Amino acid sequence: MTRSKSLFALCAVSVLALSACVSPNSSANNDFKKTKSGTAIGAGVGAVAGLISGNSAQERKSNAIKGALIGAAGGAVVGNVLDKQAAELQQNLGNDRVTITNTGDRLIVTLPQDITFASDSATLSGGIQSDLAAVANNLQSYPDSTVQIIGHTDSTGEAGYNQNLSVQRANAVTNVLASSGVPQFRLQGIGRGEDQPVASNLTEEGKAQNRRVEIVILPTT
């Protein structure tokens, strides 16, 4: 085995070992699966950072292990915070059409277009205002994050029009969050147009899924 392969294997083993340490076989396991995911993500990032920071093979091995341990601790903290934030947000949202996805290193709040905007419009519907207020309150309770508000469309119509519409919709949601007390510096409105579908644009059901605004909450600690 070459030196680089040995070091890579060491990182992999470190990450797996740390993940196993936070994977108890109990009914509480599911309650903390995103915390554990954050731990594993942090361990992997820390191991890789340590791997490339040494001047010798031995130093890189040592740094990889140290980096994995430090990264795992930080990742566990982030994962635990996201678990709590997602639970509180889910409790306060009044619309079960708004979904929350916890990936372990971020939260993604998805607003379907049909409850957020009228067709071909960037004017927010009245019914979504209370949900955005709940999101804004949640973001103020958890200030250590940046927030990307990303507009998406289906592929119907001209691509340039769809891109512009997605930007306008992202900015509309961004403005409501800002006016509800979330500091502007934490917010970034982004339009992706039709470029990032989550379903097929060949069916009406798929198009409906693609027409959405995602509020992506990214911890900064």
Side-chain angles (χ1 to χ4, degrees):
M1 183 180 291
T2 65
R3 179 176 299 175
S4 60
K5 289 182 179 179
S6 297
L7 292 172
F8 179 81
L10 176 63
C11 281
V13 169
S14 298
V15 172
L16 290 173
L18 286 163
S19 300
C21 289
V22 291
S23 300
N25 294 320
S26 68
S27 59
N29 191 29
N30 288 334
D31 295 336
F32 297 99
K33 60 184 179 180
K34 294 307 179 184
T35 300
K36 294 183 295 180
S37 177
T39 302
I41 291 169
V45 172
V48 172
L51 178 63
I52 63 177
S53 64
N55 296 319
S56 66
Q58 186 59 41
E59 186 177 356
R60 286 193 291 270
K61 289 179 183 179
S62 177
N63 287 349
I65 294 173
K66 292 177 182 177
L69 291 170
I70 294 171
V77 171
V78 169
N80 183 56
V81 170
L82 288 179
D83 284 339
K84 293 173 59 179
Q85 185 175 6
E88 292 177 13
L89 184 54
Q90 188 69 64
Q91 183 176 11
N92 293 327
L93 284 172
N95 194 329
D96 59 8
R97 296 288 309 283
V98 179
T99 62
I100 303 169
T101 303
N102 185 346
T103 68
D105 67 341
R106 69 192 62 194
L107 298 182
I108 303 174
V109 181
T110 302
L111 311 173
Q113 179 253 304
D114 60 346
I115 66 169
T116 312
F117 301 98
S119 180
D120 293 329
S121 172
T123 300
L124 285 161
S125 66
I128 202 66
Q129 299 289 340
S130 61
D131 294 308
L132 291 178
V135 173
N137 288 335
N138 182 269
L139 290 173
Q140 292 176 78
S141 297
Y142 292 87
D144 296 324
S145 65
T146 58
V147 186
Q148 296 178 344
I149 300 91
I150 308 175
H152 302 272
T153 70
D154 63 28
S155 62
T156 302
E158 200 269 327
Y161 177 86
N162 290 334
Q163 172 62 27
N164 185 57
L165 180 62
S166 71
V167 171
Q168 292 177 358
R169 288 177 169 176
N171 288 339
V173 173
T174 300
N175 291 338
V176 170
L177 295 178
S179 65
S180 298
V182 182
Q184 187 69 52
F185 72 85
R186 294 178 60 193
L187 304 172
Q188 180 184 14
I190 302 169
R192 299 299 188 201
E194 59 189 63
D195 292 341
Q196 294 182 348
V198 293
S200 172
N201 277 308
L202 298 178
T203 67
E204 290 305 314
E205 290 182 355
K207 288 180 179 180
Q209 293 180 58
N210 292 332
R211 298 189 298 267
R212 68 201 190 278
V213 172
E214 294 175 335
I215 301 172
V216 182
I217 302 169
L218 300 162
T220 56
T221 57

